[in-house]
Amino acid sequence: MKMESAACARIEEAIAQFAIEGKLTEQRPYGNGHINDTFLLVYEMPQGGTRQYILQRMNHDIFKNPHELMENIVHVTGYLRKSIIEQGGDPDRETLNVIKTRNGENYYRDGSGNYWRVFLFIERTVCLEKVESAKDFYDSAVAFGNFQRMLADYPAKDLHETIPNFHHTPSRFQAFCKAVDEDKLGRAALVQEEIAFAKAREQDTHALTDLLANGQLPLRVTHNDTKLNNILFDADSRKALCIIDLDTVMPGLSHYDFGDSIRFGASTGEEDEKDLSKITVDLDLYEAFTKGYLEGCGGRLTDKEIEMLPMGAKLMTYECGIRFLADYLEGDIYFKVHREGHNLDRARTQFKLVADMEAKWDEMRAIVEKYKNHA
Ligand code: ADP
Ligand code: GN1
Ligand code: MG
């Protein structure tokens, strides 16, 4: 992402605010994130050697309350840190670590209103942009399941909602219908088939939130953006090491994490593939993830939660589809687009996946049933 010059001008000022030892020798844009502006900082230590950090300018157009967001991250990572130490793990590599400012704050707000934060850089890792093998996907599932297990006793209600109703599918459906009705760019006529596909599934949108409301599903601490590139793998062992991008950690359903991973990782094609014949749900990948997630959760999920996991996969995919389509209708104001019709292409892949999941529904349920005793 290109930062506007007002923000660029502030980067030195921001760096100077953080309590980092040593001499800054290198600073450069880093990674492929789509939300924040990320930089690598390299420091030479007085005793020799170097230490690296991640500096991020937070996206406060999307996250309206960076203060609360950072409070969530500090509390959750602090909690994880203790549990990692108890398990004999390495807390500097297995969770994010927030570096405070010299005033002891979790972030710095500069004079132009940009919000900056710093994390320890986790060295010798790889970040995968797509699933390269069932084993990697299985490992990522164990890691997201472990994340769920380790936070199972954390009081979810104490966390702030960094984006209200983020995965509340009925609210997303309403927002989608509003975008269709307003049809600001006159694009609705071009996508009647896609609109009809989405509207025909309105009943499904309530499937999880109704069960939450009537107490049949528990509220949990969830990550909510479990794309594969939000995990760092250890470069030597190739094991999933650390879950990153904690901006959307907030109260939610386990189905959101399970579902979003399947949506992205079990697809046979890219999220924005134009050739829909390439897009199906790979049931072998779905199975690998189901097995790993249930193992990682280590018995913390209820029977009802497990039974509803396939619905999590379908609803997260459907929801992402209506978010992309709504953004297309509203003029591409939320998701970054790199070509004409980019959001429409993305919506189409998601709807193709939903249709394929419906066709494979019995198999998806049977796979969850097969592994439910691993939970
Ligand atoms: P975005 O919200 O924009 O996706 P992320 O927090 O996911 O931002 O960071 C973008 C990229 O920066 C990640 O995909 C990863 O490659 C890298 N990254 C982020 N935090 C760390 C870290 N602590 N150590 C090493 N790499 C990191
Ligand atoms: C956004 O930042 P990234 O690319 O991990 C979005 C997710 C969507 C995803 C679709 C905060 O995630 O909800 O599933 O795009 N994140 C936010 O690719 O809206
Ligand atoms: Mg990310």
Side-chain angles (χ1 to χ4, degrees), residues 58 84 104 144 171 179 217 229 300 360:
M58 294 182 250
I84 292 165
F144 282 122
S171 304
L217 290 177
N229 67 3
R300 300 306 296 244
K360 294 172 177 165

Side-chain angles (χ1 to χ4, degrees), residues 1 30-38 40 53-54 56 63 95-97 117 119-123 125-127 129 225 229-232 242 244-247:
M1 186 207 298
Y30 190 82
N32 293 313
H34 294 312
I35 299 286
N36 300 299
D37 296 322
T38 302
L40 175 71
Y53 298 85
I54 284 284
Q56 284 182 323
F63 298 102
T95 183
L96 286 177
N97 284 273
R117 66 178 172 204
F119 294 114
L120 272 187
F121 179 80
I122 305 173
E123 306 197 21
T125 62
V126 283
C127 183
E129 292 302 327
D225 190 1
N229 67 3
N230 285 330
I231 289 197
L232 299 177
C242 180
I244 60 168
D245 206 344
L246 303 177
D247 296 337

